[in-house]
Amino acid sequence: MNQGWKVGGLGIGLALIAGVTLSAAAPERWSRDWCEQRWQTGSEHACEVREVALARRPEVLHVDPGENGGVEVAAGSGPGIVVHAKVEAWAPSEAAARALIAQVRVTTDAGRLGAEGPTASAGHWGVSFRVEAPAEQSLDLRALNGPLGVYDMSGKMALETENGPITIVGSGGEVLARATNGPVSVRLSGHAWRGRGLDARSVNGPASLSLPSVYDADLEYGTQNGPWAGVGSRVEVGRRSGFAHARLGKGGAALAITTENGPFSMSRTSR
């Protein structure tokens, strides 16, 4: 299946074709394409992609890129974790931007991925992470302005961002996702959720749900104060506390996709 997955937010995104691992992609072209995805214009830009080595596979992979970075994690085919970091800088000149990049360090302390760099300069910098990991890997992902995305992961996951989007694609795990001002997007696959459940909520951003036409779940969805779109009577069985609740098919794992103040939309797919 070709996921063709890409996350918006600060314009930090990527595409993964199933069957081609991140590490197996042509490094030079892949690095160039990723570096061409930028979220700011008007300043000179410098970018490089670094492969990051972890001393061991942690029980929980913690990733916090800082103010201007994002994190995306996809299920891989191997037992290990492959990490690439896109390090970017913006400055009045290309030379200054490259000098700034040289001062940015990707940290890997105790299974925690992060970034450190100068706090005062003529420009600014950001680091985004692309991770391929076993599907069952537990994750703790955090961002301020950048996107968070998980694709076909099935472990225990905590996802939190202030202003960026959260994208969840797949069908399993124990997931707690929170966005304050950014959107939450969930795309389900298969016939049922494999795992304890999903709780994905935004405060002020939009929430969207795409699910197969045949699916088993106990679903909470909708918006408290925003508009509704694409919600058919086949699913909307009842509301309480401003959200709709439905037992889909035979019922199953508890899934919640909601927003307090943003719009909510839902679509059904053939699979």
Side-chain angles (χ1 to χ4, degrees), residues 67 100 103-104 115-125:
E67 183 177 358
L100 190 54
Q103 302 176 63
V104 177
E116 296 177 350
T119 56
S121 68
H124 52 278
W125 57 272

Side-chain angles (χ1 to χ4, degrees), residues 5 10-11 13 20 39 49 61 85 92 109 121 125-126 133 151 173 176 203 249 251:
W5 41 281
L10 299 180
V20 180
W39 59 270
V49 176
L61 179 63
D109 303 329
S121 68
W125 57 272
Y151 303 87
L176 179 66
V203 178

Side-chain angles (χ1 to χ4, degrees), residues 40-224:
Q40 176 173 309
T41 58
S43 299
E44 292 299 320
H45 175 251
C47 175
E48 66 182 32
V49 176
R50 304 174 186 173
E51 185 164 354
V52 181
L54 296 178
R56 60 180 179 82
R57 178 182 165 187
E59 182 178 351
V60 180
L61 179 63
H62 301 266
V63 190
D64 186 346
E67 183 177 358
N68 295 319
V71 187
E72 295 178 317
V73 183
S77 57
I81 295 177
V82 178
V83 180
H84 288 87
K86 179 171 74 168
V87 184
E88 299 178 274
W90 298 263
S93 69
E94 184 178 351
R98 293 199 173 280
L100 190 54
I101 276 182
Q103 302 176 63
V104 177
R105 185 172 73 92
V106 175
T107 60
T108 60
D109 303 329
R112 295 177 179 269
L113 286 170
E116 296 177 350
T119 56
S121 68
H124 52 278
W125 57 272
V127 176
S128 294
F129 291 97
R130 250 178 166 178
V131 181
E132 183 183 274
E136 69 277 8
Q137 175 67 47
S138 295
L139 303 171
D140 181 3
L141 311 182
R142 302 181 186 277
L144 182 59
N145 297 313
L148 301 178
V150 290
Y151 303 87
D152 296 318
M153 300 298 290
S154 58
K156 186 174 182 178
M157 291 172 267
L159 317 174
E160 183 176 350
T161 178
E162 186 75 17
N163 300 312
I166 295 177
T167 300
I168 300 166
V169 176
S171 59
E174 180 183 352
V175 185
L176 179 66
R178 294 290 184 270
T180 302
N181 299 311
V184 169
S185 174
V186 176
R187 192 174 82 206
L188 303 177
S189 60
H191 297 292
W193 186 268
R194 298 186 301 273
R196 294 193 62 178
L198 166 69
D199 187 348
R201 304 180 190 267
S202 178
V203 178
N204 298 313
S208 63
L209 169 64
S210 173
L211 75 163
S213 56
V214 177
Y215 201 83
D216 297 330
D218 287 316
L219 182 65
E220 177 185 50
Y221 61 100
T223 174
Q224 291 266 17

